[in-house]
Amino acid sequence: MKGTVIDGMAAYEALVKEARVDRPGFWARLAREHLVWHRPFTRVLDDSNAPFFKWFDDGLLNASYNCLDRHLYNGNAEKHAIVFEADDGTITSITYRQLHARVCKVANALRGRGVGAGDRVMIYLPMSIEGVVAMQACARIGAVHSVVFGGFSAKSLHERMVDVGAVAIITADEQKRGGKSLPLKSIVDEALAMDGTDGVHTVIVYQRTGGTIVWNPPRDCWLHELEDAQPDTCEPEWVEADHPLFVLYTSGSTGTPKGVQHSTAGYLLWSAVTMHWTFDIRPDDVFWCTADIGWITGHSYICYGPTAVGATQLIFEGVPTWPNAGRFWEMIAHHRVSIFYTAPTAIRSLIKASEADSTVHPRRFELGSLRMLGTVGEPINPSAWEWYAREVGGGRCPVLDTFWQTETGGHMITPLPGATPLVPGSCTLPLPGIEAAIVDETGSELPNGQGGLLVIKHPWPSMLRTIWGNPERFRHGYYPPELGGGLYLAGDGAIRDPETGYFTITGRIDDVLNVSGHRMGTMEIESALTSHPLVAEAAVVGRPDETIGEAIVAFVVLKGPRPAPEDAKNIAEQLRAWVGKEIGPIAKPKEIRFGESMPKTRSGKVVRRLLRAVAKGESIAQDMSTVENPAVLQQFSHRA
């Protein structure tokens, strides 16, 4: 892997030029340098059926082989692959040789249960070594994994398993979080009791806590018993480069979760390349990404990116504020973490905690091992950026504000350590090979200094290939005809600095909220609210929140009269609990407000722009001539 570090702006500009002059040659070079091919590719890009692009499609490879086997022969076999710290502080580590053996055993077990190439396997696990093992085992046999965040409800799990057509599920008896045991297997059982799940023939259970669960043989089987019965070698399934590696569901503006389908070669290539370019990964680094494997960050920068480059990484189970709000800093000091990658939401919550209790302030901990800091999931506000750089990084560590999406597979616009001059609040410049632009509603490019729609002008290998089972939704959602059909629409607004050309993300342009770095569809939450027997109508918007980025505010019209203030709080709590059960705790509205009706146009459309203003506490200065019942906005100004 020669020339993997971008060591200055001149090197950056040279790579940008290389990509523009010979785009296929640029990507081909990277694919040959960073991936191990079983059968080399001869075609780089097939764009004959745009936007359903194919990359390196006649080559054969295996993602698990690239992440594990290669390290058995390059001197990394006895290197720690994962150091895992559990919720109670217990530490377990595993070398690349041991990780390879475990993955092979689980891969053999899956094959023994009738799971083969192309079959879909749901993974519903806590943060653990087992989570990475399960994902890599699926990749090893060519099965397509679909990981679901452990905080989602049975209904959300059911929706995803039916849509993807799962044949097996890997879960745990329970998970540990903040000192509490929370159910997983029972949620899987509840989901499997719903219609449309007959195709699931196997449930593999990791015994995390030993808690009491219902057992359904022969469908249910223990992970440790399956592993113990299997050999520790497994011939990988060599798949075509565009073979689906995984389907990961993300919220969409229509309310139905979207199954983002990523390929094997293109996705893995970018995960590896960005580990080098963005993080300047070195052999002695200890890399810590605090994400959950249920999100794309946990896929790219826990399961695949770090293992593809042979890094040692730290994984943790739990929450950053338990047993106290100094846990992150204590872990960095204890494990000598050198690269720390977390969400702005976590940073903002820890700023508050350190102001309230000086004993958990990062200055109380030895953080001298850090050489790089990163943020992910949402733009980081300048004041949090500056605190992070000063109090955590000691003023010596670059802060990398990375912009990317579930759909892009890896970083798209991000500073480069030691190369890009940093500006708090800006994700700066696109990576080489990524040509980003800002356009208006017709697809015409806008000058620097003028805000508009963020688009990517040319395809790139790690882009999503389609929406699982819904290619038209993919085409119209990401390559909309109104923009000409040739531009990838990111769904975010952005603006470029007139002088530097740096990008700043200004927020979502659709009805998707960014809550603690997680995308939540407003329609999904509205659907959950209106399924409650008390609710007639619901509209959900977001408002800025200094801790979680965007808070969910729900406006509700009950089937009965508008509740009195003394009753409103009780009903609001009922509705929050209902949403938590229907979708998951992350989707619970922070505020619920009640009115006699919704503000609507005469054609019956809810005027969300007015509700957004009310949620933010702004005075209504907008035109209301088309609103049939503007007086209701006064009712919605009162919080329950």
Side-chain angles (χ1 to χ4, degrees), residues 155 523-532 578-579 582-583:
K155 182 178 179 182
M523 289 296 294
E524 193 174 9
I525 303 169
E526 290 172 7
S527 296
L529 284 166
T530 54
S531 68
H532 190 281
W578 178 268
V579 172
E582 289 290 292
I583 302 175

Side-chain angles (χ1 to χ4, degrees), residues 240-316:
E240 293 181 348
D242 259 2
H243 179 82
L245 178 60
F246 63 85
V247 174
L248 182 59
Y249 284 84
T250 184
S251 293
S253 58
T254 63
T256 306
K258 298 180 293 188
V260 171
Q261 178 184 317
H262 273 291
S263 72
T264 298
Y267 169 81
L268 187 63
L269 169 64
W270 202 229
S271 296
V273 168
T274 51
M275 284 296 298
H276 289 289
W277 284 357
T278 307
F279 296 120
D280 182 28
I281 194 75
R282 300 173 185 175
D284 58 349
D285 275 322
V286 177
F287 178 82
W288 185 17
C289 170
T290 68
D292 190 283
I293 57 170
W295 310 108
I296 188 62
T297 306
H299 282 54
S300 302
Y301 300 110
I302 293 178
C303 182
Y304 290 109
T307 56
V309 301
T312 294
Q313 67 170 314
L314 178 64
I315 296 178
F316 95 116

